[in-house]
Amino acid sequence: MTPTPHIDAKPGDIAKTVLMPGDPLRAKFIAEKFLQNPVQFNQTRGMLGFTGTYNGAAVSVMGSGMGCPSIGIYSYELYHFYGVENIMRVGTAGAINLDLHIGDIVLAQGACTNSAFVRQYNLPGDFSPISSFCLLEKAAAQVRAKGLKLAVGNVLSSDTFYDDDDTTMKRWQKMGVLCVEMEAAALYLNAARAGKNALAILTISDEIFTGKATTALERQTAFTNMMEVALETASAL
């Protein structure tokens, strides 16, 4: 079923590996700054998508929108209708771990969540959404090669940006969760169900307990280390 209700692309327009920032303008920035000969394949609902090459490898980049429902729709359609094998979320996160600071990179080995997304599978227990080790291993090597600070571990994919309970993050912190974002769990669940690969590569954009934060423009264009790590990983597949 292509085009889909949300992606106006034809078969073959989208590469086997897709980078997915939440912000479609970040997708446009990545395509224009890093890809050779990028061609736009989607603008439906303003969710921009582009395909080009990086180091000779075909790579696509497309926005996912915010939250599990949004990335759940786009990643499902990419995996099931466009033959995509690998999706790497390139997004921002708020630090929960006090050793993490703005600009640090986190590879989400697993994704805790308060989302109901997993309930659709009617499992007889609690499923732990995890990344694909093949992508995690390659991305970690790229981060180390760049000499960047790296943290690997559990993140929280939260359905609430403004939480009415101000003790929530402290409780996740006690369990060793590194940071909070909004999409990784749904991506990992879709990948697991489809038998595909997924990884969230995150940059700390704000610190929950210190109040330090970046601007919207900085989040859109400044975190190029994360983008380069994802692109180098994609070209190494």
Side-chain angles (χ1 to χ4, degrees), residues 209-223:
F209 298 115
T210 69
K212 294 180 181 177
T214 53
T215 66
L217 182 60
E218 287 172 327
R219 291 192 295 274
Q220 181 180 314
T221 63
F223 298 137

Side-chain angles (χ1 to χ4, degrees), residues 108-168:
Q109 185 175 22
C112 309
T113 188
N114 56 18
S115 171
F117 195 90
V118 70
R119 293 180 192 167
Q120 65 183 297
Y121 305 111
N122 197 29
L123 297 166
D126 296 324
F127 183 87
S128 299
I130 60 171
S131 61
S132 301
F133 183 72
C134 60
L135 296 181
L136 179 65
E137 185 179 37
K138 286 180 170 60
Q142 294 296 338
V143 176
R144 293 190 182 102
K146 288 181 171 293
L148 302 171
K149 182 178 176 181
L150 171 64
V152 180
N154 245 338
V155 307
L156 169 64
S157 298
S158 178
D159 270 356
T160 51
F161 189 88
Y162 299 106
D163 197 322
D164 195 53
D165 183 348
D166 60 10
T167 69
T168 297

Side-chain angles (χ1 to χ4, degrees), residues 34-232:
F34 294 107
L35 297 185
Q36 288 79 50
N37 303 312
V39 175
Q40 184 171 314
F41 64 77
N42 192 65
Q43 60 180 2
T44 301
R45 295 174 179 256
M47 200 57 70
L48 304 177
F50 305 84
T51 297
T53 59
Y54 184 85
N55 288 345
V59 179
S60 295
V61 56
M62 180 181 173
S64 71
M66 290 188 291
C68 286
S70 187
I71 197 171
I73 290 170
Y74 289 109
S75 60
Y76 185 97
E77 293 182 1
L78 290 171
Y79 283 140
H80 290 273
F81 303 128
Y82 288 99
V84 170
E85 295 293 328
N86 313 293
I87 297 178
M88 284 181 279
R89 164 162 156 69
V90 282
T92 56
I96 299 174
N97 184 295
L98 297 179
D99 292 329
L100 289 174
H101 303 288
I102 290 174
D104 291 347
I105 291 180
V106 175
L107 300 181
Q109 185 175 22
C112 309
T113 188
N114 56 18
S115 171
F117 195 90
V118 70
R119 293 180 192 167
Q120 65 183 297
Y121 305 111
N122 197 29
L123 297 166
D126 296 324
F127 183 87
S128 299
I130 60 171
S131 61
S132 301
F133 183 72
C134 60
L135 296 181
L136 179 65
E137 185 179 37
K138 286 180 170 60
Q142 294 296 338
V143 176
R144 293 190 182 102
K146 288 181 171 293
L148 302 171
K149 182 178 176 181
L150 171 64
V152 180
N154 245 338
V155 307
L156 169 64
S157 298
S158 178
D159 270 356
T160 51
F161 189 88
Y162 299 106
D163 197 322
D164 195 53
D165 183 348
D166 60 10
T167 69
T168 297
M169 291 303 138
K170 277 289 185 184
R171 284 181 278 157
W172 286 109
Q173 184 191 53
K174 289 178 182 178
M175 295 302 294
V177 172
L178 298 174
C179 58
V180 57
E181 51 88 68
M182 301 188 77
E183 291 84 31
L187 174 61
Y188 289 3
L189 287 162
N190 271 351
R193 183 66 181 88
K196 302 295 182 77
N197 298 311
L199 175 66
I201 304 173
L202 307 169
T203 300
I204 298 301
S205 60
D206 56 286
E207 301 173 23
I208 300 298
F209 298 115
T210 69
K212 294 180 181 177
T214 53
T215 66
L217 182 60
E218 287 172 327
R219 291 192 295 274
Q220 181 180 314
T221 63
F223 298 137
T224 55
N225 283 330
M226 166 182 65
M227 301 169 192
E228 290 175 348
V229 165
L231 288 163
E232 292 290 342

